[in-house]
Amino acid sequence: MRAPLSWLREYVDLPAEATGREVAEKLIAAGLEVETVERTGAGLTGPLVVGEVLAIEELTGFKKPIRYCRVDVGGAGGTGEPQNIICGARNFAAGDKVVVALPGAVLPGDFRISARKTYGRVSEGMICSAAELRLSEEHAGIIVLPPEYEPGTDAVALLEIEDEVLDIAVTPDRGYCLSLRGIARETATAYGLPLRDPALLDVPAPNDEGYPVTVGDPAACDRFTARTVSGLRPGARTPVWMQRRLEKAGMRTVSLPVDITNYVMLELGTPLHAYDRERLDGPLGVRRAEPGEKLTTLDGVQRALHPEDLLITDDSGPIGLAGVMGGAHSEVRDPEQDPETGEWRGTTEVVIEAAHFDAVTIARTARRHGMSTEGSRRWERGVDPEAAAAAAQRCVDLLVLLGGGTAGPGVTGVSAPAEPVTITLPADHPDRVAGVTYGREAVVRDLQEVGCEVHGTDVLTVTPPSWRPDLTDPNDLAEEVIRLQGYAALPSTLPRPPAGRGLTRRQRLHRRVGRALAGAGYVEALNYPFVSQDALARLGIEEGDPRRRTLRLANPLSDEEPELRTTLLPGLLAALRRNDGRGSHDLALFETGLVFRPTGQEPPAAVLPVTGRPTDEEIAGLDAALPRQPRRVAVVLAGAREQTGWWGGARPAGWADAVEAARTVAREAGAELEISADRHAPWHPGRCAALHTVVDGERTLVGHAGELHPRVIKALALPDRTCAMELELDLLERAGQGLVTAPRISAFPVATQDVALVVDAAVPAAEVAGALRSGAGELLESLRLFDVYTGEQVAAGQKSLAYALRFRAPDRTLTAEETGAARDAAVAAAAERTGAVLRGA
Amino acid sequence: MSAPNKSYDPVEVEALKPEAIDRAREEALAAIAAAGDLPALREARIAHAGDRSPLALANREIGALPPHAKAEAGRRVGQARGAVGQALRTRQAELEAERDERVLAEEAVDVSLPYDRVPAGARHPLTTLMERIEDVFTAMGYEVAEGPEAEAEWFNFDALNISADHPARSESDTFFVAGTGAGGEGGAPGEGSGVVLRTHTSPVQIRSLLERELPVYVICPGRVYRTDELDATHTPVFHQVELLAVDQGLTMADLKGTLDHMVQSLFGEDLRTRLRPSFFPFTEPSAEMDMVCYACRGESVGNPDRPCRVCSSEGWIELGGCGMVNPRVLTACGVDPEKYSGFAFGFGIERMLMFRHNVEDMRDMVEADVRFTRPFGMEI
């Protein structure tokens, strides 16, 4: 809502020196969101005067037609002689009154006007357009003034160019501030000054002679006032002052009757509608739409109506979407001048509609048809029902005054007002909300200031004013008191929460995993969760894989990515490719985040009442409607894991780095991973590790790691040998070992034994190690694989695994015989389970 | 070598003559002093202090002297050997020090060599900033609450007093889930699932009130979704931290104090905050929260010579929205608003990161460019 300061002053006697910025500060403190204070006319200095075009000479021979005009500017030119002015615009004629900037004037944008030679003539000034004066952005053409102004009149004052305009973002609870009346009320309160309420008009009582109206849905339309004005001059023009106010408020001027309805809407907040009486067919009606009905609205769009849409009708059917937009047919006509006779043709008799519609009904219709209009925005936020009759009266008065019309004697008033809301609250309720003692007197005074009727002593019974439908609860009234007393006056105190338990295990793990991976050289990425079936398919994830069962958005930002991720990899790989494309080639990225794993069997979520706590079953029902959303962690790697440098050559990132990243994560959870070969998209079938751990006592698959499948790398245009790991953090959280039992440290010496075992190349090293460990018995302190050999010295299809075994006893120094026996037992177990043969044996 | 002089006859022993001992001593000391390195000193040690050295030989002859001469000779030899031993130790230490110094000098390296073998990793500054905020509040006794990102509409809207007709529920802001199932059997937009991508972390407040014992003091950090296209100042996926306190007797003054504490913990002491009346369905009274610009402290206002990039010379920085929990919200969660009151606030982490760290473009925070993230390191 744009409110010119000059207009506000009509209702509040602000101090002369009050600036727009100062008023804005006060309104901000009172809860209005003043976004900007715009100075109009900044950068403009005169002389800017009214001129009368006496003669026009058309110049030819230039790229465009040019006019050389003789313009009477009264005495303003200094000589009393008419000025000669070049002009390129064509929307004016001889005899028209225009706005002339004379030499010496400066227009906005430091545009200095001087007498100068152009198009072969001397031009002594400029005929101005609204855009050149920054009056409005709508009109590109020359301003043509109504004929009543004398040449030479100062146009800066006439056009009220110098002003300040407050632009206010009105929150949904303050619909009344979508009017000058409402903003003036807040301004008056903020300055402690009286308000001249423009809605306080003498309004005639309804009678039977008015235009007939039938309200078929009084719940959706509890008031309908109709007035008529006849004998309007079709050529009557909107006066400059009204045009200027409309322009400053951001509205276009259209025709006098429409401008007047808009003006009254800005002034009082009540959206009005003017019908051309000649184009109405029988009585007006208000009802809901019938199935199959259609209406072409003012914007030329034919709309299929919904049975909940509230309509204005006549005998021909729907003529308007109530409160949202009128129909094209019954609209007031734009005046047209007969080119031969000079006679104006247009609407001469209007029916004014000033009604009150239900906010929710209008909001739904506006949303359903995707229309947000000046009217619907006001109805949605609540319009003062008591102002309807006054708005109609104001409209009639202006039509009579400015359009030369005659007010019809008939006054239609259909009314089914709702009971006024009353709120009871303890007088100290605002004090308890604020934590400040205001006292009963201040509370009552502030509520009255807002427009409430207040009764009672310790307990107050409050009737809010008709323009404040948002005031329904005691806390609403508390807010009114606290804001009038000033939010700035609130003290600052600290509550004392009970002792907290700190972060949960899940939260601590999440943090630790992030730190550990960053410490290991990974950079965190936070990717959007939007994916497509196609992206999953390109990862080689086949249909039927649970990861293809996605949650789909009804209104995605992009139809390319309408679904939610079931794995972190698509986003992370896209980030990898983006970085690679930007010249970072050695990459290690990680992400932690939720994935969405619907079963496809989720029932729809119910809408529960809000009148009390839902039952546990109801809450469980809502949770059952949601997909499982576990937190996962993933890494991707490409390029060099270790860079080349003075220490030696680079080491490319490989499958083992991805597996090690999984171990790094598991270590943070205190979990141990069992690594085994697997085939799982999008990984390379020969370089893919399944990651298992024990969760709640059961061996559980928690994720995969390894090198990506070459086909995936090609399909996604990833760097060669890109590697990845993904695992479910929420499973790992439950896999921790619990309390660690401290080991006993033996003081006796260690005995080491190295063994090299030859096994079939397909035998996993982890199995050989497991066999050795179990065979070696309790004396084994540790076991480490230190070499893997394939080549000439072992048979084809075989490999040699070299292990270092360390033995130690808690209570004695081991003899060579004991150590040897333990080693032999270990080798025997490996031989039995894996077919291992001691190398060289 | 002479045999012990059992007859106690005075025997003239050449090696024990005082002149001989003094000479051996002098020779030994000279040789030790002349030893230029540790091998030379080792030779000098063998020659002058070894078993076959003159002084060692002389020592063995003492037994052959008559008793009256033994003491004198013994003292003389002992002193000489002591002096030689001392000289050896001293020289040994000197030569070792010299050698060590030489070796260490030879082993010197260029310690300024880089060691970026594994380039440093980093955490995303949005993550670390959220953790900073979590730490401020957990230190006060608050707990961190979490919830699902795909959320039932009732939690995201209805329970928060956002009725079915509230503009915030329109499709222009909210991502609606089209019903679950592969490829989405779920029907037309707005129909069906009753599930949305949460538009704020406020549904976690509702879950906290339903699940936890009163009083409740929680903060709810997390990811939220709105249907804004990505540009320099908007992103459809962003992060919020919200706070909820519900207890007996909580007031707006408590809200203000808690806000002050947070601002001062994150941005510096003595920074004032400001509340401006506003409107949110889930709070009443409601307010917008501002803080004095931490960079210019308001001094750039009306001072074109000292423009402030952080606050655009406004003097204040908008933080987010807050208010007293609307009693209707408490009622929907089964909390008696006659007995309990609460306050809540929430703000966007992207925005805070932008003004706290001078991030100019929202896209930098979502594109996962390692050049953006690395400088933030592990903590902020």
Side-chain angles (χ1 to χ4, degrees), chain A residues 580-601:
Chain A
D580 188 60
R582 292 176 178 185
S584 304
H585 305 302
D586 301 330
L587 289 162
L589 305 179
F590 83 97
E591 179 169 14
T592 58
L594 303 191
V595 296
F596 303 84
R597 301 299 296 267
T599 60
Q601 306 303 313

Side-chain angles (χ1 to χ4, degrees), chain A residues 1 81 87 184 190 225 296 354 357 391 395-396 400 546 548-549 552 569 592 596 630 635 653 696 711 812:
Chain A
M1 175 75 195
E81 285 296 304
C87 185
T225 299
T296 302
F357 300 117
C395 205
V396 167
V400 168
R548 291 289 290 272
R549 200 158 58 228
R552 194 166 62 84
L569 292 179
T592 58
F596 303 84
V635 309
D696 302 335
R711 267 206 305 273
R812 63 187 188 282

Side-chain angles (χ1 to χ4, degrees), chain A residues 364 367 433 473 475 479 492-493 501 507 511 524 527-528 552 554-555 579 582 605 629 631 643 646, chain B residues 114 117 122 124 134 143-144 146 149 165 174 176 178 193 223 235 252 254 260 284 286 328 367-368:
Chain A
R364 285 184 185 166
R367 199 173 317 148
V433 172
D473 294 7
N475 268 38
E479 178 178 77
S492 178
T493 56
R501 292 164 293 187
Q507 290 159 353
R511 284 190 179 195
E524 187 175 13
N527 296 299
Y528 289 176
R552 194 166 62 84
N555 56 334
N579 274 288
R582 292 176 178 185
Q629 297 167 57
R631 183 178 281 150
Q643 307 198 89
W646 55 266
Chain B
R117 192 168 191 155
H124 199 286
E134 287 168 14
E143 294 185 359
V144 177
E146 296 170 285
E149 292 175 12
D165 291 298
T174 307
F176 289 91
S193 71
R223 255 186 162 194
T235 163
M252 273 187 98
D254 292 328
D260 285 344
E284 188 71 39
S286 303
R328 290 174 186 233
E367 286 181 344

Side-chain angles (χ1 to χ4, degrees), chain B residues 210-271:
Chain B
L210 290 173
E211 288 162 14
R212 291 166 183 254
E213 305 257 320
L214 291 167
V216 165
Y217 287 84
V218 291
I219 65 162
C220 318
R223 255 186 162 194
V224 302
Y225 301 83
R226 307 240 176 116
T227 55
D228 291 317
E229 295 281 353
L230 175 66
D231 64 22
T233 53
H234 296 87
T235 163
V237 182
F238 57 103
H239 298 78
Q240 281 189 334
V241 173
E242 291 190 340
L243 170 146
L244 172 72
V246 173
D247 202 342
Q248 293 187 20
L250 291 181
T251 66
M252 273 187 98
D254 292 328
L255 160 61
K256 172 113 165 94
T258 305
L259 171 65
D260 285 344
H261 179 78
M262 183 196 77
V263 164
Q264 290 174 7
S265 300
L266 289 177
F267 293 95
E269 295 297 315
D270 310 324
L271 281 175

Side-chain angles (χ1 to χ4, degrees), chain A residues 195-437:
Chain A
L195 169 77
R196 276 191 295 279
D197 186 348
L200 287 180
L201 296 178
D202 281 337
V203 175
N207 55 41
D208 296 337
E209 297 158 51
Y211 197 88
V213 174
T214 315
V215 176
D217 192 337
C221 173
D222 59 7
R223 272 182 183 73
F224 198 116
T225 299
R227 301 287 297 273
T228 55
V229 179
S230 57
L232 290 169
R233 283 185 280 113
R237 296 189 51 191
T238 305
V240 169
W241 63 267
M242 184 180 282
Q243 277 190 31
R244 293 293 300 129
R245 284 188 170 179
L246 290 170
E247 280 169 0
K248 287 175 192 171
M251 295 194 80
R252 237 158 33 91
T253 61
V254 183
S255 64
L256 180 65
V258 173
D259 287 352
I260 287 174
T261 56
N262 283 337
Y263 182 84
V264 173
M265 175 182 73
L266 290 174
E267 186 176 52
L268 299 180
T270 305
L272 299 153
H273 201 81
Y275 299 93
D276 187 331
R277 183 167 182 169
E278 287 174 30
R279 300 166 86 178
L280 285 181
D281 185 4
L284 289 173
V286 184
R287 62 163 170 86
R288 304 275 176 172
E290 283 159 12
E293 275 191 305
K294 291 191 168 66
L295 171 68
T296 302
T297 41
L298 263 177
D299 51 8
V301 178
Q302 195 191 56
R303 298 175 188 276
L305 301 175
H306 186 276
E308 276 183 32
D309 287 339
L310 192 68
L311 302 178
I312 308 295
T313 61
D314 66 6
D315 286 350
S316 71
I319 59 168
L321 270 178
V324 181
M325 193 177 274
H329 178 69
S330 58
E331 198 55 24
V332 169
R333 284 168 285 170
D334 287 346
E336 285 173 8
Q337 195 170 23
D338 188 307
E340 285 169 22
T341 63
E343 209 174 299
W344 287 91
R345 282 195 295 262
T347 300
T348 57
E349 189 166 5
V350 296
V351 178
I352 303 294
E353 162 205 311
H356 185 256
F357 300 117
D358 171 55
V360 170
T361 303
I362 304 301
R364 285 184 185 166
T365 293
R367 199 173 317 148
R368 198 177 292 126
H369 294 287
M371 313 163 81
S372 178
T373 63
E374 292 283 338
S376 72
R377 280 175 52 224
R378 286 175 171 80
W379 291 120
E380 283 170 22
R381 288 166 173 78
V383 171
D384 182 359
E386 301 296 337
Q393 182 62 45
R394 181 84 170 117
C395 205
V396 167
D397 290 347
L398 287 169
L399 282 167
V400 168
L401 180 73
L402 304 174
T406 309
V411 177
T412 308
V414 179
S415 167
E419 281 291 303
V421 176
T422 59
I423 307 161
T424 56
L425 77 165
D428 66 349
H429 184 69
D431 299 17
R432 281 189 285 121
V433 172
V436 178
T437 306

